Structure formats: C-alpha cells, structure tokens
Amino acid sequence: MVRLDKFLCDCNMGTRSQIKDYIRQGLVSVNGIIVKKPELKIHESNDNVTLRGESCTFKKYAYYMLYKPAGVVSATTDNTADTVISLLADVKDKNLFPVGRLDKDTTGLLLITNDGDLSHHMLSPKKHVDKTYLVGIRNPLTLEDKTRLEQGVDIGDEKLTLPAVVSFPNQVTEECAQILLTIHEGRFHQVKRMLQAVDNEVVTLKRVSFGPLTLDVSLAPGQYRELNEQEVEACMKC
Ligand code: URA
C-alpha cells in the first residue's frame, strides 16, 4: 500500500505539490470514485487510478536518454561539479544513475536509469555493446592509422584494443578532422588513449550511439527524454 500522492509522483504525473493540488481539485479518481485526500492509501497494482481520466500505471524502472553537455560529471553526486543526475531535476525519488561514464568534457548520449540489471547487461565486458563516437582530432587520420585503429592498438593495457570501425563523416575542417569511431568495449578514456596510440589527439568527443540507442536529434545539450518501450526492449536484448 502507498499514499495516493506518492503513487502519482512515482508515475511521473507531476511534483508532489502539483499532485496534491490535482487531488484537491478533484482531478484524481480511484476505481472510478473522485478522491480528495492525498494521504489515502492505495494498492499500486490492484487499484485503478486516473488523473484527468488518464490511467496511471506504476513503473518500477525509469529509463532516460540524456544529451550530456560538457562540464558535468557522470556520477550521482560530486563535491565540485554538477552531475548528470542533477540535470534530471524534474524526476523525483527514482535513485537514478548513469549507465557507464563519459568524461567531464565528453558530450552526447548517456543512458540514465534505476534498473541495475539493464545497466549490468549493457556494460558487461562479455556483451561487447557498440559505442559510436564522433571524434574531432588534432591531425587528419592517415589510412595507415585508420587500419591500426581498426585492427587494435596498444593503449598501455594488458591487451590490445578490440577491432574497431572507423569512418570519415566529413571533410577535414580548418582546425581538426572528424572521424566516427565505433568500439565494442569501454575501457577508461579509451577513445582518447586510442588516438594517442596513433600519435594523434582528441579535440572534441561526442557519443552518438550506445548499443541500439541513437542520440535523439531533437535533444539539445542538457535535455533528456524517456526511452520508449521499443528502445527499452532493444537494450535488454542487445
Ligand atoms: N573514451 C574516452 O576517452 N572518453 C569518454 O568519455 C568516452 C570514451
């Protein structure tokens, strides 16, 4: 059993104070009867709760795609900088965490959830989930270096990196060249160390896809949206 206002909050129907107002305004009904007491105890799975006629279902897990901007850290708390979780300020009481990390200066797609199983699944070294980065690099990449990155390079770990895929999305710009790099593992600072291994340097780094997810072009840096059911299912199966 759970309080009606908490239940509606968990269903993402608004903030706790908005929800209390909705209830007092008579916009909420339980099993067809309008209820005006936020403290009423309801049964999450048996009672049929509606807000303005829309059925509310409790979702145990939440999944968001965040366009991580530069300057925020991929953590739940930090003493010195804003965290990716603080960007989801509208989402309350969900115990959210980022699935893996992007460096503070890296931008792009970050999956945020409270589903530990899905996170383990997508980060498991055994699964080799693809991650694609748009990488701005100091010097144009030679075809020889492209082949080296694709075959695996020594970045100072026990093993070479796994074979990767490199393509050229654009022409060389004045300041830096750009490559699209897909890797199948997630070692610490992997992309930066891979480019160092071919005597180059990462200037900008943006993750454009993670497993079956592609960064939504309608999101601006700092914005997020919920994953749809198909996307969640695809993550579970990848
Ligand atoms: N590789 C890096 O070097 N940094 C990131 O943030 C992600 C991948």
Side-chain angles (χ1 to χ4, degrees):
M1 302 288 276
V2 62
R3 278 177 63 118
L4 179 59
D5 55 353
K6 170 147 187 6
F7 172 79
L8 286 163
C9 209
D10 288 345
C11 294
N12 282 341
M13 303 313 281
T15 62
R16 198 81 173 244
S17 63
Q18 281 170 335
I19 284 166
K20 281 189 174 144
D21 285 345
Y22 298 152
I23 296 172
R24 293 201 179 103
Q25 286 165 29
L27 300 176
V28 174
S29 58
V30 178
N31 301 325
I33 296 164
I34 290 176
V35 169
K36 293 201 170 175
K37 288 187 181 154
E39 70 279 9
L40 180 85
K41 290 275 173 65
I42 60 131
H43 199 290
E44 296 101 306
S45 37
N46 292 350
D47 288 327
N48 177 23
V49 179
T50 59
L51 170 62
R52 292 193 193 88
E54 184 193 338
S55 204
C56 309
T57 33
F58 175 67
K59 291 182 196 151
K60 186 168 175 195
Y61 295 119
Y63 308 91
Y64 298 93
M65 171 189 296
L66 169 72
Y67 186 162
K68 179 192 173 298
V72 296
V73 294
S74 300
T76 49
T77 56
D78 192 88
N79 291 333
T80 55
D82 283 343
T83 70
V84 289
I85 301 304
S86 67
L87 296 174
L88 280 78
D90 293 344
V91 184
K92 304 279 180 223
D93 296 336
K94 292 263 189 207
N95 297 321
L96 296 171
F97 56 85
V99 176
R101 283 166 188 270
L102 293 176
D103 296 338
K104 193 171 173 185
D105 56 351
T106 301
T107 63
L109 197 168
L110 192 62
L111 175 59
I112 309 275
T113 185
N114 54 358
D115 182 344
D117 287 345
L118 183 93
S119 174
H120 282 130
H121 174 76
M122 294 205 56
L123 296 177
S124 164
K126 290 184 196 142
K127 303 279 181 200
H128 301 306
V129 171
D130 287 359
K131 295 144 197 104
T132 300
Y133 296 87
L134 183 63
V135 194
I137 50 179
R138 181 72 59 202
N139 306 304
L141 199 73
T142 62
L143 285 181
E144 194 192 335
D145 288 341
K146 176 177 184 285
T147 307
R148 287 177 65 200
L149 290 175
E150 288 182 331
Q151 290 179 341
V153 282
D154 182 357
I155 59 171
D157 294 343
E158 252 174 46
K159 291 183 180 169
L160 298 186
T161 54
L162 287 178
V165 178
V166 179
S167 62
F168 300 107
N170 282 314
Q171 294 304 313
V172 175
T173 64
E174 249 177 49
E175 287 191 335
C176 67
Q178 275 194 331
I179 59 168
L180 271 173
L181 173 65
T182 301
I183 57 175
H184 315 287
E185 44 191 347
R187 301 193 209 170
F188 184 62
H189 292 331
Q190 179 161 348
V191 175
K192 290 174 183 164
R193 289 158 73 207
M194 285 175 77
L195 269 299
Q196 267 167 18
V198 294
D199 298 317
N200 212 316
E201 191 193 340
V202 170
V203 181
T204 57
L205 188 56
K206 173 180 174 183
R207 184 156 70 183
V208 292
S209 72
F210 179 33
L213 304 175
T214 300
L215 183 62
D216 191 324
V217 289
S218 69
L219 294 176
Q223 291 185 330
Y224 63 92
R225 70 154 171 85
E226 251 187 287
L227 295 195
N228 60 40
E229 276 175 31
Q230 289 84 353
E231 287 170 326
V232 175
E233 214 169 290
C235 287
M236 284 168 177
K237 284 188 187 149
C238 75

